[in-house]
Amino acid sequence: MRKALITAAGGLALALALSACGGVGDGKYQDADSLVRAATASTEKVKSTAFTLTMKVGPLGMTGEGASSYDSSDPRTQMTMSIDVGALGGGAEPMEMEARQIGEDLYLKLPTNLPGGMVDENKPWHKTSVAEQVPGSTLDVDRYLQSTDPSKMIEMLKESGELVDTETGVSVNNRSATKYSFEVDFQKVLENYGGNLESMPGMSQFDLDAIPVDIYLDEQDLPARLYIDFREVVEQAIEQAGGEGNLPDGVSFDEAYMQMDFTDWGNEVQVEAPPADEISDQPIPGMGG
């Protein structure tokens, strides 16, 4: 959950969609290099965006909203999330979280309704870092932080996928857009950040084909929507856990995706650290120390 958060907040997901290299389609840009150049030129001018997030993995869901300033010298992101765990049974209420990233520092405000009362309501914030959220990884943190600047992340990742289709005349939040569909090599993305599947807990045995990623660019060549299809990743995880026969009755993972919608490009984004007296000095629950 936290790894997915960092990916969204830091811009890696956006990088996946914009980083492809290939040649196809009848949209405004008929090859990925032209699309990347245009999107880079547009996003470099504005330096910030607001976004909403919808993520669904089978019966589990998450929604969120936030804003990000991707000035490479001082990247900042804030995001609030609601995690629906009701499908797990027991009448569990949604879990509310908040995250703030300031440079490499990451502040997490954990749900106060975690089982066992693990969160102090008077000190709900925990300070950590991007690197600490991927334990055992060889992640290049400096390069990762630079990826909040679209021009740098596109330059780093443009060899990681292939443009396979385009569709014009698509409406996204009442904005006319063109849909560009990619097949992205996740392993190559990780390598660009100094990592690999073997360094990521629980994924060393995965044999991933390309992951489908769609990016929708509006008439100003600014991203309007990002859609990532995670079904293959989830299917492999289920297989490693013993197969679908081990799933509870009525539980299906036919849906597995993340969608981000981008708005308010260029608006000022202010992200500050939480008050010091609200930051816990205890380890993050479930992280060990």
Side-chain angles (χ1 to χ4, degrees):
M1 177 177 65
R2 285 187 285 267
K3 183 165 62 181
L5 160 66
I6 298 166
T7 299
L12 176 57
L14 179 57
L16 287 172
L18 292 177
S19 63
C21 179
V24 70
D26 57 359
K28 182 177 180 181
Y29 303 106
Q30 298 186 14
D31 64 90
D33 284 343
S34 298
L35 183 152
V36 167
R37 286 195 297 269
T40 300
S42 294
T43 55
E44 280 184 329
K45 296 176 183 177
V46 291
K47 296 293 186 184
S48 67
T49 184
F51 58 85
T52 60
L53 168 70
T54 302
M55 188 170 183
K56 187 172 178 61
V57 181
L60 305 178
M62 180 176 76
T63 57
E65 60 181 14
S68 181
S69 172
Y70 48 84
D71 183 336
S72 59
S73 65
D74 186 28
R76 294 175 179 247
T77 295
Q78 67 83 22
M79 183 178 183
T80 58
M81 293 154 287
S82 179
I83 305 165
D84 181 6
V85 294
L88 297 179
E93 295 293 328
M95 293 186 177
E96 308 295 331
M97 288 187 63
E98 184 175 349
R100 300 178 189 177
Q101 179 187 341
I102 303 174
E104 186 179 341
D105 293 332
L106 184 65
Y107 299 89
L108 299 175
K109 185 177 183 181
L110 301 183
T112 56
N113 59 338
L114 282 175
M118 293 186 289
V119 177
D120 183 348
E121 293 188 6
N122 295 317
K123 292 189 173 185
W125 288 93
H126 290 262
K127 183 179 180 180
T128 179
S129 69
V130 172
E132 289 174 350
Q133 294 308 296
V134 192
S137 173
T138 57
L139 176 72
D140 185 331
V141 174
D142 289 339
R143 176 167 283 193
Y144 172 81
L145 291 174
Q146 289 180 359
S147 73
T148 57
D149 180 345
S151 65
K152 288 185 172 62
M153 66 185 179
I154 292 170
E155 181 66 26
M156 287 188 290
L157 301 174
K158 65 182 178 181
E159 300 297 329
S160 63
E162 180 181 1
L163 175 63
V164 296
D165 195 14
T166 67
E167 180 181 353
T168 58
V170 179
S171 179
V172 177
N173 299 319
N174 297 318
R175 294 157 64 192
S176 179
T178 299
K179 175 183 175 182
Y180 296 89
S181 298
F182 300 89
E183 296 289 340
V184 175
D185 187 330
F186 187 55
Q187 177 67 50
K188 288 184 179 179
V189 171
L190 291 177
E191 290 172 356
N192 279 322
Y193 286 95
N196 52 61
L197 287 175
E198 288 71 25
S199 69
M200 300 181 68
M203 297 188 71
S204 60
Q205 302 302 315
F206 279 29
D207 182 19
L208 291 175
D209 292 330
I211 297 175
V213 177
D214 298 325
I215 185 73
Y216 299 73
L217 293 188
D218 67 13
E219 293 178 340
Q220 285 74 48
D221 296 326
L222 290 169
R225 173 171 292 169
L226 164 71
Y227 185 93
I228 305 178
D229 186 339
F230 288 123
R231 283 178 295 178
E232 182 180 352
V233 179
V234 172
E235 288 171 2
Q236 290 204 29
I238 292 173
E239 183 177 346
Q240 288 195 17
E244 294 185 0
N246 290 330
L247 295 176
D249 291 341
V251 173
S252 169
F253 285 84
D254 290 343
E255 287 187 295
Y257 67 87
M258 184 182 77
Q259 177 175 299
M260 294 183 71
D261 285 1
F262 301 93
T263 58
D264 299 332
W265 287 93
N267 286 2
E268 183 178 1
V269 175
Q270 294 185 343
V271 182
E272 304 296 335
D277 60 0
E278 295 183 13
I279 300 176
S280 175
D281 57 2
Q282 299 300 308
I284 298 177
M287 292 296 291

